[in-house]
Amino acid sequence: MDQIIINTDKSSKRLIILVSILTSLSVTLFFNLAIYGVPTRAVDPVTTTTTTPTTTTTTTPTATTATALTISSLTTNPTSPTVGTGFTLTVNGTGFISGYVVRFYNVNNTLTIITPSSTTPTMITATISTLAIGTSGGNARVFVSNTTNTVSSSGASFLINNPVPTVNSIIPTSATAGSQGAPGYPNPQGQEGLYIRVYGTGFVKASYSGGFTSQVKINGSNAYNVIRTKYISFTELEAAIVANLSAGTKQITVFNSTPGGGTSSAVILTVNSPPTP
């Protein structure tokens, strides 16, 4: 029994010592925490990838001004265009675009819209037909425009000449002195005039006020009280002689005024003496 008590006492002492050691460690740990703080777990380094943004450069288009549509000069082939003969017109300038047209006004102010045969930014070539030229010479005008004429150049003018006429024949070729000719044409005195048909080339007619029409002349005169001329076509005229003709040989000519123009060669109208009663 005594032995057991002794062993118990040793165990108690050991327990007391253990408690003392633990207490000391607790106190030491407390003061260390107070001074140095709570240790933290090491954190693995984080790899950060930085992406550099792509810089986009926006280019603002530069405003462009369309080249002005202008006509600087005109050239023709042949160089002196004439009524009755087509020609080639070259328009020089700026701002010409494929699809533009030539607007051609003849001396009678009749418009013909012409599709060019060739177009560059500075030159347009077009063919002007005999029909477009019209029936009389004078100043023609040209414009370049789009097909709807909402964009157009200023106009440019050039001269078209009257041709020198020719006379090939007349009908009739003879008449009787003092005769009043074919019926149906009253002269200022109420008499019927003598009609002469004149055939040739280069006859002209202006349809505007003050314009010139080819004139048939007898011995160089086309006085209105002697002869009046009616235009039939480029190759035919009708002359009404409204005064009595004396016997003899008469020269029948045709005259065209300027620009160009001139007098034809003559054909002969023979005026016979009336028969003796």
Side-chain angles (χ1 to χ4, degrees):
M1 180 66 77
D2 291 339
Q3 182 67 37
I4 292 173
I5 294 173
I6 291 172
N7 289 340
T8 301
D9 291 340
K10 287 182 180 181
S11 296
S12 298
K13 289 179 180 181
R14 288 177 183 163
L15 180 59
I16 292 171
I17 292 170
L18 180 58
V19 171
S20 298
I21 292 170
L22 291 175
T23 300
S24 175
L25 289 175
S26 298
V27 172
T28 301
L29 178 60
F30 173 79
F31 281 104
N32 286 339
L33 292 173
I35 295 172
Y36 300 106
V38 179
T40 58
R41 185 177 68 88
V43 179
D44 293 335
V46 177
T47 302
T48 303
T49 302
T50 303
T51 302
T52 303
T54 302
T55 301
T56 302
T57 303
T58 302
T59 303
T60 302
T62 303
T64 56
T65 302
T67 303
L69 183 56
T70 64
I71 295 176
S72 58
S73 64
L74 302 172
T75 58
T76 61
N77 184 20
T79 55
S80 297
T82 303
V83 173
T85 305
F87 62 93
T88 301
L89 173 68
T90 300
V91 184
N92 304 296
T94 60
F96 301 151
I97 298 174
S98 178
Y100 278 7
V101 296
V102 173
R103 305 177 77 85
F104 174 80
Y105 291 85
N106 65 21
V107 67
N108 295 324
N109 206 36
T110 302
L111 169 64
T112 303
I113 299 175
I114 302 165
T115 300
S117 56
S118 67
T119 301
T120 71
T122 58
M123 182 184 296
I124 283 180
T125 302
T127 299
I128 310 300
S129 67
T130 300
L131 182 62
I133 293 170
T135 58
S136 182
N139 282 316
R141 294 177 298 139
V142 170
F143 299 80
V144 174
S145 74
N146 60 3
T147 54
T148 58
N149 202 29
T150 55
V151 177
S152 177
S153 69
S154 297
S157 298
F158 67 102
L159 194 64
I160 295 177
N161 291 317
N162 286 319
V164 177
T166 63
V167 175
N168 299 326
S169 62
I170 60 172
I171 296 177
T173 58
S174 64
T176 301
S179 66
Q180 302 304 311
Y185 189 94
N187 66 15
Q189 289 75 38
Q191 299 169 321
E192 293 178 341
L194 169 65
Y195 289 105
I196 299 176
R197 288 282 176 145
V198 179
Y199 299 94
T201 61
F203 304 152
V204 299
K205 176 188 178 183
S207 61
Y208 61 95
S209 176
F212 176 84
T213 297
S214 296
Q215 295 294 323
V216 175
K217 294 186 177 185
I218 298 179
N219 291 342
S221 173
N222 64 335
Y224 188 69
N225 63 342
V226 175
I227 191 166
R228 300 177 187 178
T229 303
K230 179 180 179 181
Y231 177 88
I232 305 298
S233 72
F234 187 74
T235 60
E236 183 179 354
L237 299 173
E238 181 181 81
I241 299 171
V242 296
N244 294 334
L245 295 177
S246 60
T249 298
K250 311 299 181 183
Q251 292 190 338
I252 305 298
T253 58
V254 173
F255 169 76
N256 285 348
S257 73
T258 57
T263 301
S264 72
S265 57
V267 295
I268 300 302
L269 172 68
T270 301
V271 180
N272 300 310
S273 298
T276 302

